[in-house]
């Protein structure tokens, strides 16, 4: 298994995370850099959040995108109208490309869902030419995602299963300060730079926040889907209370931080 991300429906993923990935893509691209005529690889493209933002750069030569999930590949392919973009199903730990085929390999919000994240970084390094760039970003689940911590902290207060979810969620691969930077260096990449990227996740109301999780999308949705009826009702009520925080239901805004690393292939 090369991805621990739980996905059932592309529309549900868009509400859960795709819309926020699109907001994060521009600052990530600014950090990773681009140059005219380059061939770029998007590793773990999802529904195309990064892929299609890359395509706004008319001077790029080619864009290849891969994802492990057939649901994502089908949706990204359906959305694609750019002849420079090629999308296929593939494993981040066994990329189906020749050595040095790309100028840059980018992975946005992917490596923390790859159990063998170091192997994925090694593959990104392999398929990028000497002097090219490897870059990735992952959410800081422990200290930089208050909107999601609100859920895991709430369910942790409801029982042992919730505490186990919190432990898994907060300590996924590549999330601790310096962890991704060390992994890049261990895989032979040079001039490794690390930074933080921030966006805001703005929700219209509780349903806008909770609906995709309640429908079973993502790792938090997977937890909710396993609850029995009584636990589910208790969790729904506790989450509404946490979201509303004693005020009427309505808009809420959460700052969300991602770690990002960029490095050169020697």
């Amino acid at each position: 298994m090369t991805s621990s991300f739980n996905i059932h429906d592309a529309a549900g993923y868009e509400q859960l995370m795709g819309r926020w990935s699109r907001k994060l893509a521009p600052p990530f691209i600014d950090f990773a850099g681009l140059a005219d005529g380059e061939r770029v690889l998007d590793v773990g493209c999802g529904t195309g959040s990064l892929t299609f933002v890359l395509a706004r750069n008319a001077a790029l030569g080619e864009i290849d995108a891969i994802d492990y999930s057939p649901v994502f590949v089908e949706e990204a392919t359906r959305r694609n109208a750019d002849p420079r973009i090629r999308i296929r199903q593939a494993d981040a730990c066994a990329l189906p490309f020749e050595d040095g085929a790309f100028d840059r390999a980018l992975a946005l919000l992917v490596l923390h869902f790859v159990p063998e994240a170091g192997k994925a970084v090694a593959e990104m390094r392999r398929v990028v030419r000497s002097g090219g760039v490897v870059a990735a970003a992952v959410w800081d689940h422990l200290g930089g995602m208050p909107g999601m911590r609100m859920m895991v902290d709430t369910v942790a207060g409801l029982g042992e299963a919730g505490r186990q979810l919190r432990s898994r969620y907060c300590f996924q691969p590549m999330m601790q300060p310096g962890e991704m930077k060390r992994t890049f260096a261990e895989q032979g990449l040079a001039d490794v730079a690390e930074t933080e990227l921030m966006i805001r996740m703005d929700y219209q109301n509780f349903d806008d926040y909770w609906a995709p999780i309640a429908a079973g999308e993502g790792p938090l949705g997977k937890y909710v889907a396993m609850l029995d009826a009584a636990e589910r009702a208790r969790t729904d009520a506790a989450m509404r209370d946490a979201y509303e925080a004693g005020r009427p239901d309505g808009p809420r805004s959460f700052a969300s931080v991602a770690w990002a690393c960029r490095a050169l292939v020697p």
Side-chain angles (χ1 to χ4, degrees):
M1 183 177 80
T2 60
S3 174
S4 61
F5 193 85
N6 185 63
I7 175 69
H8 298 292
D9 176 72
Y13 168 80
E14 279 294 302
Q15 186 176 0
L16 175 68
M17 190 54 62
R19 53 182 166 168
W20 313 128
S21 300
R22 283 193 297 279
K23 287 185 70 172
L24 188 62
F28 175 58
I29 291 170
D30 288 344
F31 174 67
L34 288 177
D36 291 356
E38 286 188 330
R39 186 183 182 193
V40 178
L41 174 63
D42 179 1
V43 177
C45 64
T47 53
S49 299
L50 175 61
T51 309
F52 299 130
V53 175
L54 284 168
R56 293 176 191 167
N57 186 321
L60 277 183
E62 301 176 21
I63 303 167
D64 285 82
I66 68 101
D67 202 281
Y68 192 66
S69 166
V71 175
F72 284 149
V73 171
E74 180 181 356
E75 179 63 14
T77 300
R78 185 188 68 79
R79 294 180 177 192
N80 183 35
D82 192 319
R84 296 174 299 163
I85 297 174
R86 292 181 295 267
I87 303 166
R88 70 172 85 176
Q89 184 178 7
D91 183 342
C93 294
L95 294 171
F97 304 104
E98 296 181 357
D99 295 359
F102 296 92
D103 299 291
R104 294 175 202 263
L106 312 180
L108 179 62
L109 305 179
V110 174
L111 291 183
H112 48 319
F113 293 115
V114 180
E116 296 181 283
K119 190 172 182 180
V121 173
E123 276 292 275
M124 292 170 71
R125 179 192 187 278
R126 179 186 65 79
V127 301
V128 171
R129 63 170 174 81
S130 177
V133 172
V134 171
V138 302
W139 291 124
D140 177 7
H141 279 187
L142 179 66
M145 291 283 283
M148 298 299 105
R149 278 298 301 264
M150 179 174 66
M151 178 191 167
V152 296
D153 287 338
T154 297
V155 299
L158 298 179
E160 179 59 27
R163 287 189 287 275
Q164 292 178 13
L165 170 69
R166 181 171 61 183
S167 180
R168 292 192 303 272
Y169 181 81
C170 290
F171 295 97
Q172 287 177 250
M174 303 290 103
M175 289 186 171
Q176 303 312 301
E179 183 181 3
M180 188 161 48
K181 185 176 182 180
R182 288 192 299 273
T183 300
F184 272 40
E186 289 166 358
Q187 297 304 328
L189 291 162
D191 297 332
V192 184
E194 182 182 67
T195 193
E196 298 174 27
L197 306 174
M198 190 193 82
I199 65 166
R200 295 201 72 90
M201 295 182 175
D202 298 306
Y203 298 95
Q204 298 176 17
N205 50 41
F206 176 66
D207 187 62
D208 188 29
Y209 168 85
W210 187 240
I213 299 173
E217 296 298 339
L220 303 184
K222 183 177 181 180
Y223 167 84
V224 171
M226 296 174 63
L227 299 175
D228 63 30
E231 292 173 323
R232 174 62 184 271
R234 187 172 169 231
T235 298
D236 287 349
M239 284 308 308
R240 178 175 288 278
D241 182 64
Y243 180 91
E244 293 180 354
R247 297 292 181 92
D249 189 13
R252 302 290 189 272
S253 181
F254 301 95
S256 300
V257 176
W259 297 110
C261 277
R262 178 191 66 225
L264 295 178
V265 175

